[in-house]
Amino acid sequence: MAGTDLVQALTRGLKILEMAAASTDGVRVPDITEALGIKQPTAHNLARTLVAQGYLVRRAAPVRYALGPAVESLANAGSRRQWREIAERSVRALHEAQPAATVILAEWRAGDVEVSMRLHPSHPDHVEINPAMRLPPHTSASTLCFQAFAPQPEVADFRRRYPYGETATGPWRDADALDAFLAEARRAGAIALSDARLHRVAVPLHNAAGRFAGTLGASYAADAGSADALLRSVVAEAKRLCRHLEQIP
């Protein structure tokens, strides 16, 4: 008979998770016994096992079970995988549009802006994943993009960690001049820096909820192409990437 080879305990555990997800206050053991047609000790043991694995949390007065952090972690892992696959395609596409450029995708991690993906023109077929690159606070287009577009609490924390003037400060004479540059970048929607050596560009990435998700950036030698061409390529690819981000739950 179809279904007779299913693992009964697993099926019951999944049903309990469905019940907990459908409940605003959590599900009680008597609810579980009635819905699954099992004895109370069995229901209790199933719930206790799910609590031990983090898929449920136990609440008291009265005792009931709600979804635990492992459920969210599982869902986030899937979203994170989707994000990485889409981001890598965008990094490669940007490199194809600008073969002389070094392309990076950066994210906010535990108080720093770090490179999540990097594609260097010397190795055009290889996207480095998490290359352990922490970006400088005031001279990287990506960290400046973060300061211009990320949520204010995270930016304030970043600036407490890296007060202006304690590290290389770029071309700005003081913090007020930097803030004026960042305000103009917000109006323009991107960071663009050029000097005699390099053109550097970074564009913010936002998800479906409008939350800051990271930056897409690129740089190349000043004699390798125009700053405007680099900016157009990065902006165009960032827009495509954000459209894909909107499809990720």
Side-chain angles (χ1 to χ4, degrees):
M1 183 183 296
T4 56
D5 56 343
L6 299 181
V7 179
Q8 190 176 57
L10 178 57
T11 302
R12 288 170 171 173
L14 293 173
K15 179 61 178 178
I16 293 171
L17 292 179
E18 291 175 358
M19 294 173 64
S23 173
T24 56
D25 298 323
V27 61
R28 301 176 306 132
V29 168
D31 300 327
I32 296 171
T33 60
E34 181 178 352
L36 273 61
I38 57 178
K39 295 181 179 179
Q40 186 164 320
T42 302
H44 174 75
N45 287 335
L46 287 168
R48 189 165 58 86
T49 300
L50 290 168
V51 168
Q53 298 301 316
Y55 289 98
L56 290 179
V57 292
R58 185 180 185 273
R59 296 175 178 170
V63 173
R64 59 202 189 282
Y65 296 91
L67 291 182
V71 174
E72 184 176 359
S73 295
L74 195 62
N76 288 343
S79 296
R80 186 67 182 169
R81 178 185 54 76
Q82 285 182 272
W83 154 247
R84 286 196 174 279
E85 290 175 354
I86 293 167
E88 183 173 343
R89 289 200 297 269
S90 283
V91 167
R92 291 186 183 279
L94 181 52
H95 170 72
E96 290 175 4
Q98 296 289 345
T102 297
V103 180
I104 65 170
L105 186 136
E107 297 177 81
W108 167 255
R109 291 179 179 169
D112 284 293
V113 180
E114 296 185 355
V115 177
S116 299
M117 296 185 186
R118 178 176 183 263
L119 197 159
H120 193 274
S122 63
H123 301 284
D125 296 325
H126 176 60
V127 176
E128 297 175 79
I129 305 297
N130 295 325
M133 292 178 61
R134 183 178 300 170
L135 297 170
H138 302 116
T139 56
S140 161
S142 295
T143 50
L144 292 169
C145 190
F146 165 78
Q147 292 184 63
F149 296 99
Q152 185 55 40
E154 294 180 359
V155 175
D157 179 60
F158 183 78
R159 289 190 156 191
R160 282 191 293 269
R161 288 170 63 87
Y162 301 106
Y164 189 82
E166 289 192 359
T167 61
T169 56
W172 299 281
R173 65 182 180 278
D174 54 33
D176 289 339
L178 172 59
D179 286 338
F181 169 81
L182 295 176
E184 179 58 35
R186 279 190 287 273
R187 287 189 287 270
I191 294 288
L193 296 168
S194 290
D195 55 34
R197 190 174 64 91
L198 283 175
H199 298 314
R200 291 168 287 160
V201 170
V203 177
L205 303 172
H206 296 89
N207 62 18
R211 290 191 296 270
F212 180 85
T215 68
L216 182 66
S219 64
Y220 54 43
D223 60 1
S226 75
D228 287 343
L230 183 63
L231 177 60
R232 286 194 298 271
S233 293
V234 176
V235 168
E237 195 54 51
K239 286 181 178 178
R240 282 193 287 270
L241 180 50
C242 284
R243 285 197 294 270
H244 286 297
L245 272 177
E246 292 174 357
Q247 308 306 313
I248 300 177

